[in-house]
Amino acid sequence: MNNRKILLNENEIPENWYNIIADMPNKPLPPLHPGTLEPIGPEALAPLFPMELIKQEVTPDKWVPIPDEVRNIYSLWRPTPLYRAYGLEKALDTNAKIYYKYEGVSPSGSHKPNTAVAQAYYNKQEGIKTITTETGAGQWGSALAFACKHFGINCEVYMVKLSYEHKPYRKTMMNTWGAKVFPSPSEATEIGKKFLQEDPNTSGSLGIAISEAIERAASDDSTKYALGSVLNHVKLHQTIVGQEAIKQLEKAGDLPDIVVAPFGGGSNFAGLAFPFLRLNFEEGKKIRCIASEPASCPKLTRGEFRYDFGDTGGMTPLLPMYTLGHNFVPAPIHAGGLRYHGAGVIVSQLLKDKLIEAVAHDNLEVFEAGVTFAQAEGIIPAPEATHGIATVIREAQKCKEEGVSKTILFNLCGHGNFDMKAYEDYFAGKIQKHELSEAEIKASLAKLNTPTI
Amino acid sequence: MNNRKILLNENEIPENWYNIIADMPNKPLPPLHPGTLEPIGPEALAPLFPMELIKQEVTPDKWVPIPDEVRNIYSLWRPTPLYRAYGLEKALDTNAKIYYKYEGVSPSGSHKPNTAVAQAYYNKQEGIKTITTETGAGQWGSALAFACKHFGINCEVYMVKLSYEHKPYRKTMMNTWGAKVFPSPSEATEIGKKFLQEDPNTSGSLGIAISEAIERAASDDSTKYALGSVLNHVKLHQTIVGQEAIKQLEKAGDLPDIVVAPFGGGSNFAGLAFPFLRLNFEEGKKIRCIASEPASCPKLTRGEFRYDFGDTGGMTPLLPMYTLGHNFVPAPIHAGGLRYHGAGVIVSQLLKDKLIEAVAHDNLEVFEAGVTFAQAEGIIPAPEATHGIATVIREAQKCKEEGVSKTILFNLCGHGNFDMKAYEDYFAGKIQKHELSEAEIKASLAKLNTPTI
């Protein structure tokens, strides 16, 4: 019997996060002030984030120490297991070797607590009493609720009203960890009241929820804001995933040819891929790192590299990113975590420099991949994770066609226990293809009047 | 940083199941034919179960080898982690040492696949094409669906119609693993049709669902039936849990004074406790093993030890058990897995002989315990598991009052990801105490005309 799982002990939890900026041949361009179009410095972020996270956002240091208290909370579920996917390999009849890193063992069921715990820690260090955030489907909100509970910080989550009403169980999960959850738009903020006045029956949007969370954080010195993806410090915290995977593969005497992860704002992909890119930079390895995005929200494969806002409302600085335009409204696919118009700045620069790759998958292809995986390996994957699985299946089939054996690693970033409605819809034939025409993408990008690069 | 998790490698998965009957000072009394009241032999079970499972049901052997193929599938999630509950200890401010074995890491999220995989394997060995079963809330049905998919066996699940309609996500989980799920009563069986004719709007019951599953299995040579608790072979398969825990505690240099597990039909409790009882039998240890039941279904603490039917419909042999009467209808508490009128025969005999203990907990006490645990340890427990946690908290508080330090181990038998409605009801103040009067219990038992012991 071969081992399926490669485990590490808690004392093997990495002691540093890896900052890829130190190794990038071309550093990301600076963010710009939307009014002056001048580069802005980290001080602009001070009203929203604690100083230590702002330092991490811009640090040139290659390694950032992980505080012992953070590693201690990580140990509730970390190191996460690395699986050899014998069942999937057999189901695909491939000669590829397939591994997956399983982040679904965290309390909230995804990779999100890796950064939530770190962010809550630094806020606590600086005396912050309350953290606000927005959440769509609830993965990020529940991770932050869990993390805040551990540090005795109040957590306020603005949850898009449509999700609040349709996904009550994620809300209850946040309540169980002591968070206050508001359907957004809410009466708790001025901007929320304004939107409610305009349309009392609005179902809300992530853009509005962000605005509410930011308003609350900006109006009170002991309250800060937290973001679950996109920003550099969030990607930094996630690099614990790939670092563990490298140690685990070393134990198995293996190294991947291909590393795959789903792509929303970039932190999931960054977490697994950046530590392997370090091996490319430092040791001249040629590991292919592939980001898997939905065909209905294809910023990496069909977007434009230019300055754009990080939010729909246009409140953030302008960021240099692959984007479909900040007003682009993705189709309502079940992989809510991948419905974002742009890509974080580090990942965008890496793609621009052809140091990483990207592929897009149709909605039906990913569900088929998810069911294949669930039947072969037992774990039912989150809809976001199925995008990575679809890429793995494509690459494994290529191996078969070409008669070569490659080693493929992917990030199984979360379980689908809270997403069974998505599978129900799939089995009921309710999942449709979402083909975007070239005209639709051009129309969205044509609305931008932000600087090109 | 002390280690929270004590892990084993896959080659440490036990090679045998432990059969406690071999060590019991008083063996369980034989089952009786309900008509003749004569003891019946294992051959009576042949229409429903494959021969190897019937042999296991009655074997006097102390150790039953676990087939390699079963251990191989176990390795998808086993060995499960043993946690030292540092967070809970701190929250309770106790000098007790608390450990928990976490079975929620299995694909379906509970301990049920331990026996589902074994049962599917033996059915496959004997050429069975289809396995039928009933399920209430869906924990057992989903475990069997997962196991059948691995062996290429068809799985038919009769799901109580009320649950089918109110818990669609468990149904979808079973569908994802390829099972056919029928709302019971269904048109697929004669008995189902009969009940539908009598009342087309019936919401079904576990008793009816069992009858449907048995009818299907009895009518076809290539179809058998599977049960998720109560029977000896089911308890046998679960002993893998306690055996792993012993190895893990040895690594920690520890041995529990108290072992706790929730009690429904007995397989959860048996799985953790029986291997520790072996240490009492063989080595003269004095480990207290406590079964935790709901106050609304208190067969162990307030039931009678006598012969009774295993099912509501009175179709099974008469079993010597602690029972509230097979017509007893437990209150609709959220811990669906503990709503069973009787206790398996082995556990009943052990309680009769005072070799184990039992306690009952009110509905509000267990939810409070569940939330305390979720906030301290991260994992949100299944409502069944919260009963064990409530016992642990009582014992830990006793330690504090008495100024002693005891080591307590409990079975965290599953996560609550599919039970958030229960927590929602709790936070909304909708959970009520279910006090059973002595008169209610007497009235239920007075209806029995089965043999006393």
mmCIF file of all heavy atoms in Angstrom, chain A residues 291-324:
data_model
loop_
_atom_site.group_PDB
_atom_site.id
_atom_site.type_symbol
_atom_site.label_atom_id
_atom_site.label_comp_id
_atom_site.label_asym_id
_atom_site.label_seq_id
_atom_site.Cartn_x
_atom_site.Cartn_y
_atom_site.Cartn_z
ATOM 1 N N ALA A 291 -2.487 29.532 -13.815
ATOM 2 C CA ALA A 291 -3.659 30.062 -13.108
ATOM 3 C C ALA A 291 -4.918 29.668 -13.876
ATOM 4 O O ALA A 291 -4.983 29.842 -15.090
ATOM 5 C CB ALA A 291 -3.559 31.578 -12.999
ATOM 6 N N SER A 292 -5.930 29.144 -13.150
ATOM 7 C CA SER A 292 -7.155 28.636 -13.788
ATOM 8 C C SER A 292 -8.302 29.588 -13.489
ATOM 9 O O SER A 292 -8.695 29.749 -12.336
ATOM 10 C CB SER A 292 -7.488 27.251 -13.232
ATOM 11 O OG SER A 292 -6.357 26.405 -13.292
ATOM 12 N N GLU A 293 -8.844 30.188 -14.521
ATOM 13 C CA GLU A 293 -9.923 31.159 -14.302
ATOM 14 C C GLU A 293 -11.184 30.713 -15.041
ATOM 15 O O GLU A 293 -11.123 29.887 -15.948
ATOM 16 C CB GLU A 293 -9.490 32.553 -14.767
ATOM 17 C CG GLU A 293 -9.250 32.678 -16.266
ATOM 18 C CD GLU A 293 -8.807 34.080 -16.665
ATOM 19 O OE1 GLU A 293 -8.576 34.927 -15.780
ATOM 20 O OE2 GLU A 293 -8.682 34.323 -17.881
ATOM 21 N N PRO A 294 -12.342 31.257 -14.653
ATOM 22 C CA PRO A 294 -13.571 30.901 -15.354
ATOM 23 C C PRO A 294 -13.656 31.608 -16.709
ATOM 24 O O PRO A 294 -13.275 32.780 -16.808
ATOM 25 C CB PRO A 294 -14.686 31.398 -14.423
ATOM 26 C CG PRO A 294 -14.051 32.314 -13.437
ATOM 27 C CD PRO A 294 -12.566 32.162 -13.517
ATOM 28 N N ALA A 295 -14.163 30.923 -17.706
ATOM 29 C CA ALA A 295 -14.315 31.521 -19.037
ATOM 30 C C ALA A 295 -15.267 32.709 -18.994
ATOM 31 O O ALA A 295 -15.208 33.584 -19.855
ATOM 32 C CB ALA A 295 -14.823 30.468 -20.023
ATOM 33 N N SER A 296 -16.108 32.766 -17.976
ATOM 34 C CA SER A 296 -17.056 33.883 -17.871
ATOM 35 C C SER A 296 -16.445 35.116 -17.213
ATOM 36 O O SER A 296 -17.076 36.159 -17.163
ATOM 37 C CB SER A 296 -18.283 33.438 -17.069
ATOM 38 O OG SER A 296 -17.878 32.954 -15.799
ATOM 39 N N CYS A 297 -15.216 34.994 -16.716
ATOM 40 C CA CYS A 297 -14.545 36.147 -16.079
ATOM 41 C C CYS A 297 -13.044 36.077 -16.371
ATOM 42 O O CYS A 297 -12.223 35.945 -15.485
ATOM 43 C CB CYS A 297 -14.815 36.135 -14.575
ATOM 44 S SG CYS A 297 -14.301 37.646 -13.734
ATOM 45 N N PRO A 298 -12.693 36.174 -17.671
ATOM 46 C CA PRO A 298 -11.337 35.822 -18.135
ATOM 47 C C PRO A 298 -10.360 36.988 -18.177
ATOM 48 O O PRO A 298 -9.833 37.320 -19.235
ATOM 49 C CB PRO A 298 -11.620 35.294 -19.549
ATOM 50 C CG PRO A 298 -12.759 36.165 -20.020
ATOM 51 C CD PRO A 298 -13.578 36.516 -18.799
ATOM 52 N N LYS A 299 -10.096 37.600 -17.026
ATOM 53 C CA LYS A 299 -9.212 38.780 -17.053
ATOM 54 C C LYS A 299 -7.795 38.424 -17.457
ATOM 55 O O LYS A 299 -7.110 39.210 -18.103
ATOM 56 C CB LYS A 299 -9.196 39.504 -15.707
ATOM 57 C CG LYS A 299 -8.699 38.673 -14.540
ATOM 58 C CD LYS A 299 -9.854 38.255 -13.693
ATOM 59 C CE LYS A 299 -9.443 37.584 -12.407
ATOM 60 N NZ LYS A 299 -10.642 37.214 -11.642
ATOM 61 N N LEU A 300 -7.324 37.241 -17.070
ATOM 62 C CA LEU A 300 -5.934 36.892 -17.388
ATOM 63 C C LEU A 300 -5.779 36.506 -18.860
ATOM 64 O O LEU A 300 -4.803 36.883 -19.498
ATOM 65 C CB LEU A 300 -5.458 35.729 -16.503
ATOM 66 C CG LEU A 300 -5.385 35.994 -14.995
ATOM 67 C CD1 LEU A 300 -4.980 34.719 -14.256
ATOM 68 C CD2 LEU A 300 -4.400 37.115 -14.664
ATOM 69 N N THR A 301 -6.741 35.751 -19.368
ATOM 70 C CA THR A 301 -6.586 35.245 -20.740
ATOM 71 C C THR A 301 -7.122 36.215 -21.789
ATOM 72 O O THR A 301 -6.717 36.178 -22.938
ATOM 73 C CB THR A 301 -7.302 33.887 -20.913
ATOM 74 O OG1 THR A 301 -8.653 34.007 -20.441
ATOM 75 C CG2 THR A 301 -6.587 32.793 -20.126
ATOM 76 N N ARG A 302 -8.068 37.105 -21.406
ATOM 77 C CA ARG A 302 -8.668 37.984 -22.413
ATOM 78 C C ARG A 302 -8.747 39.453 -21.969
ATOM 79 O O ARG A 302 -9.298 40.278 -22.683
ATOM 80 C CB ARG A 302 -10.061 37.464 -22.792
ATOM 81 C CG ARG A 302 -10.016 36.053 -23.390
ATOM 82 C CD ARG A 302 -11.408 35.490 -23.610
ATOM 83 N NE ARG A 302 -12.095 36.117 -24.723
ATOM 84 C CZ ARG A 302 -13.392 35.936 -25.003
ATOM 85 N NH1 ARG A 302 -14.126 35.142 -24.238
ATOM 86 N NH2 ARG A 302 -13.944 36.541 -26.031
ATOM 87 N N GLY A 303 -8.246 39.759 -20.773
ATOM 88 C CA GLY A 303 -8.299 41.141 -20.290
ATOM 89 C C GLY A 303 -7.142 41.966 -20.820
ATOM 90 O O GLY A 303 -6.313 41.491 -21.608
ATOM 91 N N GLU A 304 -7.086 43.234 -20.384
ATOM 92 C CA GLU A 304 -6.036 44.143 -20.826
ATOM 93 C C GLU A 304 -5.150 44.501 -19.629
ATOM 94 O O GLU A 304 -5.634 44.665 -18.519
ATOM 95 C CB GLU A 304 -6.696 45.422 -21.372
ATOM 96 C CG GLU A 304 -5.700 46.430 -21.952
ATOM 97 C CD GLU A 304 -6.398 47.689 -22.480
ATOM 98 O OE1 GLU A 304 -7.615 47.629 -22.744
ATOM 99 O OE2 GLU A 304 -5.706 48.716 -22.607
ATOM 100 N N PHE A 305 -3.843 44.609 -19.849
ATOM 101 C CA PHE A 305 -2.916 45.029 -18.790
ATOM 102 C C PHE A 305 -2.851 46.542 -18.802
ATOM 103 O O PHE A 305 -2.296 47.144 -19.729
ATOM 104 C CB PHE A 305 -1.531 44.414 -19.040
ATOM 105 C CG PHE A 305 -0.529 44.718 -17.948
ATOM 106 C CD1 PHE A 305 -0.715 44.232 -16.667
ATOM 107 C CD2 PHE A 305 0.597 45.489 -18.216
ATOM 108 C CE1 PHE A 305 0.211 44.507 -15.659
ATOM 109 C CE2 PHE A 305 1.529 45.767 -17.224
ATOM 110 C CZ PHE A 305 1.332 45.269 -15.931
ATOM 111 N N ARG A 306 -3.447 47.175 -17.771
ATOM 112 C CA ARG A 306 -3.511 48.640 -17.718
ATOM 113 C C ARG A 306 -3.863 49.069 -16.300
ATOM 114 O O ARG A 306 -4.092 48.243 -15.430
ATOM 115 C CB ARG A 306 -4.563 49.157 -18.693
ATOM 116 C CG ARG A 306 -5.979 48.724 -18.309
ATOM 117 C CD ARG A 306 -7.000 49.306 -19.266
ATOM 118 N NE ARG A 306 -7.049 50.754 -19.117
ATOM 119 C CZ ARG A 306 -7.568 51.563 -20.038
ATOM 120 N NH1 ARG A 306 -8.079 51.062 -21.152
ATOM 121 N NH2 ARG A 306 -7.592 52.852 -19.837
ATOM 122 N N TYR A 307 -3.869 50.363 -16.051
ATOM 123 C CA TYR A 307 -4.317 50.832 -14.735
ATOM 124 C C TYR A 307 -5.835 50.740 -14.638
ATOM 125 O O TYR A 307 -6.547 51.065 -15.600
ATOM 126 C CB TYR A 307 -3.865 52.277 -14.495
ATOM 127 C CG TYR A 307 -2.463 52.353 -13.916
ATOM 128 C CD1 TYR A 307 -1.357 52.630 -14.727
ATOM 129 C CD2 TYR A 307 -2.255 52.138 -12.552
ATOM 130 C CE1 TYR A 307 -0.077 52.679 -14.195
ATOM 131 C CE2 TYR A 307 -0.970 52.199 -12.008
ATOM 132 C CZ TYR A 307 0.107 52.470 -12.829
ATOM 133 O OH TYR A 307 1.373 52.533 -12.299
ATOM 134 N N ASP A 308 -6.309 50.295 -13.471
ATOM 135 C CA ASP A 308 -7.758 50.257 -13.244
ATOM 136 C C ASP A 308 -8.018 50.285 -11.730
ATOM 137 O O ASP A 308 -7.122 50.039 -10.920
ATOM 138 C CB ASP A 308 -8.380 49.000 -13.875
ATOM 139 C CG ASP A 308 -9.910 49.096 -13.993
ATOM 140 O OD1 ASP A 308 -10.483 50.177 -13.704
ATOM 141 O OD2 ASP A 308 -10.522 48.082 -14.380
ATOM 142 N N PHE A 309 -9.249 50.565 -11.377
ATOM 143 C CA PHE A 309 -9.636 50.548 -9.968
ATOM 144 C C PHE A 309 -9.771 49.100 -9.465
ATOM 145 O O PHE A 309 -10.166 48.203 -10.218
ATOM 146 C CB PHE A 309 -10.982 51.255 -9.768
ATOM 147 C CG PHE A 309 -10.904 52.740 -9.973
ATOM 148 C CD1 PHE A 309 -11.379 53.320 -11.142
ATOM 149 C CD2 PHE A 309 -10.337 53.550 -8.994
ATOM 150 C CE1 PHE A 309 -11.300 54.688 -11.334
ATOM 151 C CE2 PHE A 309 -10.259 54.931 -9.183
ATOM 152 C CZ PHE A 309 -10.738 55.503 -10.360
ATOM 153 N N GLY A 310 -9.494 48.920 -8.167
ATOM 154 C CA GLY A 310 -9.659 47.600 -7.556
ATOM 155 C C GLY A 310 -11.103 47.303 -7.226
ATOM 156 O O GLY A 310 -11.474 46.145 -7.037
ATOM 157 N N ASP A 311 -11.945 48.323 -7.121
ATOM 158 C CA ASP A 311 -13.349 48.105 -6.753
ATOM 159 C C ASP A 311 -14.264 48.690 -7.807
ATOM 160 O O ASP A 311 -13.852 49.501 -8.644
ATOM 161 C CB ASP A 311 -13.648 48.745 -5.388
ATOM 162 C CG ASP A 311 -13.566 50.266 -5.457
ATOM 163 O OD1 ASP A 311 -12.689 50.783 -6.186
ATOM 164 O OD2 ASP A 311 -14.387 50.925 -4.806
ATOM 165 N N THR A 312 -15.505 48.270 -7.752
ATOM 166 C CA THR A 312 -16.486 48.710 -8.736
ATOM 167 C C THR A 312 -16.808 50.196 -8.566
ATOM 168 O O THR A 312 -16.996 50.919 -9.546
ATOM 169 C CB THR A 312 -17.785 47.882 -8.575
ATOM 170 O OG1 THR A 312 -17.412 46.507 -8.604
ATOM 171 C CG2 THR A 312 -18.751 48.155 -9.694
ATOM 172 N N GLY A 313 -16.835 50.641 -7.302
ATOM 173 C CA GLY A 313 -17.205 52.031 -7.041
ATOM 174 C C GLY A 313 -16.116 53.039 -7.371
ATOM 175 O O GLY A 313 -16.363 54.251 -7.335
ATOM 176 N N GLY A 314 -14.888 52.558 -7.672
ATOM 177 C CA GLY A 314 -13.810 53.497 -8.010
ATOM 178 C C GLY A 314 -13.271 54.254 -6.809
ATOM 179 O O GLY A 314 -12.885 55.413 -6.918
ATOM 180 N N MET A 315 -13.231 53.645 -5.624
ATOM 181 C CA MET A 315 -12.736 54.310 -4.412
ATOM 182 C C MET A 315 -11.266 54.020 -4.133
ATOM 183 O O MET A 315 -10.633 54.702 -3.326
ATOM 184 C CB MET A 315 -13.562 53.865 -3.197
ATOM 185 C CG MET A 315 -15.018 54.347 -3.262
ATOM 186 S SD MET A 315 -16.013 53.626 -1.921
ATOM 187 C CE MET A 315 -15.396 54.562 -0.505
ATOM 188 N N THR A 316 -10.705 52.978 -4.741
ATOM 189 C CA THR A 316 -9.322 52.588 -4.431
ATOM 190 C C THR A 316 -8.346 53.379 -5.301
ATOM 191 O O THR A 316 -8.754 54.046 -6.248
ATOM 192 C CB THR A 316 -9.101 51.086 -4.736
ATOM 193 O OG1 THR A 316 -9.149 50.910 -6.154
ATOM 194 C CG2 THR A 316 -10.153 50.216 -4.078
ATOM 195 N N PRO A 317 -7.041 53.291 -4.982
ATOM 196 C CA PRO A 317 -6.040 53.803 -5.923
ATOM 197 C C PRO A 317 -6.130 53.031 -7.251
ATOM 198 O O PRO A 317 -6.732 51.962 -7.321
ATOM 199 C CB PRO A 317 -4.710 53.506 -5.216
ATOM 200 C CG PRO A 317 -5.062 53.336 -3.765
ATOM 201 C CD PRO A 317 -6.444 52.780 -3.745
ATOM 202 N N LEU A 318 -5.507 53.591 -8.277
ATOM 203 C CA LEU A 318 -5.431 52.881 -9.560
ATOM 204 C C LEU A 318 -4.291 51.871 -9.499
ATOM 205 O O LEU A 318 -3.174 52.201 -9.090
ATOM 206 C CB LEU A 318 -5.188 53.883 -10.691
ATOM 207 C CG LEU A 318 -6.398 54.777 -11.011
ATOM 208 C CD1 LEU A 318 -5.968 55.961 -11.877
ATOM 209 C CD2 LEU A 318 -7.483 53.961 -11.703
ATOM 210 N N LEU A 319 -4.588 50.653 -9.923
ATOM 211 C CA LEU A 319 -3.602 49.575 -9.816
ATOM 212 C C LEU A 319 -3.241 49.057 -11.203
ATOM 213 O O LEU A 319 -4.107 48.959 -12.078
ATOM 214 C CB LEU A 319 -4.182 48.429 -8.980
ATOM 215 C CG LEU A 319 -4.639 48.783 -7.555
ATOM 216 C CD1 LEU A 319 -5.418 47.627 -6.942
ATOM 217 C CD2 LEU A 319 -3.435 49.156 -6.690
ATOM 218 N N PRO A 320 -1.960 48.707 -11.402
ATOM 219 C CA PRO A 320 -1.552 48.155 -12.699
ATOM 220 C C PRO A 320 -1.912 46.674 -12.756
ATOM 221 O O PRO A 320 -1.306 45.851 -12.069
ATOM 222 C CB PRO A 320 -0.037 48.352 -12.694
ATOM 223 C CG PRO A 320 0.343 48.320 -11.242
ATOM 224 C CD PRO A 320 -0.826 48.820 -10.457
ATOM 225 N N MET A 321 -2.901 46.324 -13.532
ATOM 226 C CA MET A 321 -3.421 44.948 -13.464
ATOM 227 C C MET A 321 -4.034 44.487 -14.787
ATOM 228 O O MET A 321 -4.423 45.297 -15.612
ATOM 229 C CB MET A 321 -4.519 44.881 -12.391
ATOM 230 C CG MET A 321 -5.555 46.002 -12.497
ATOM 231 S SD MET A 321 -7.166 45.600 -11.729
ATOM 232 C CE MET A 321 -6.752 45.445 -10.022
ATOM 233 N N TYR A 322 -4.107 43.175 -14.946
ATOM 234 C CA TYR A 322 -4.957 42.634 -15.999
ATOM 235 C C TYR A 322 -6.396 42.827 -15.545
ATOM 236 O O TYR A 322 -6.742 42.480 -14.400
ATOM 237 C CB TYR A 322 -4.680 41.154 -16.245
ATOM 238 C CG TYR A 322 -3.496 40.949 -17.165
ATOM 239 C CD1 TYR A 322 -2.209 40.843 -16.656
ATOM 240 C CD2 TYR A 322 -3.683 40.900 -18.546
ATOM 241 C CE1 TYR A 322 -1.120 40.691 -17.491
ATOM 242 C CE2 TYR A 322 -2.594 40.744 -19.404
ATOM 243 C CZ TYR A 322 -1.315 40.634 -18.875
ATOM 244 O OH TYR A 322 -0.251 40.487 -19.710
ATOM 245 N N THR A 323 -7.205 43.399 -16.416
ATOM 246 C CA THR A 323 -8.573 43.721 -16.008
ATOM 247 C C THR A 323 -9.546 43.602 -17.179
ATOM 248 O O THR A 323 -9.164 43.735 -18.346
ATOM 249 C CB THR A 323 -8.635 45.163 -15.440
ATOM 250 O OG1 THR A 323 -9.978 45.462 -15.041
ATOM 251 C CG2 THR A 323 -8.173 46.189 -16.468
ATOM 252 N N LEU A 324 -10.796 43.364 -16.804
ATOM 253 C CA LEU A 324 -11.895 43.392 -17.772
ATOM 254 C C LEU A 324 -12.660 44.706 -17.656
ATOM 255 O O LEU A 324 -13.687 44.901 -18.293
ATOM 256 C CB LEU A 324 -12.844 42.216 -17.512
ATOM 257 C CG LEU A 324 -12.242 40.824 -17.744
ATOM 258 C CD1 LEU A 324 -13.082 39.747 -17.075
ATOM 259 C CD2 LEU A 324 -12.082 40.533 -19.240
#
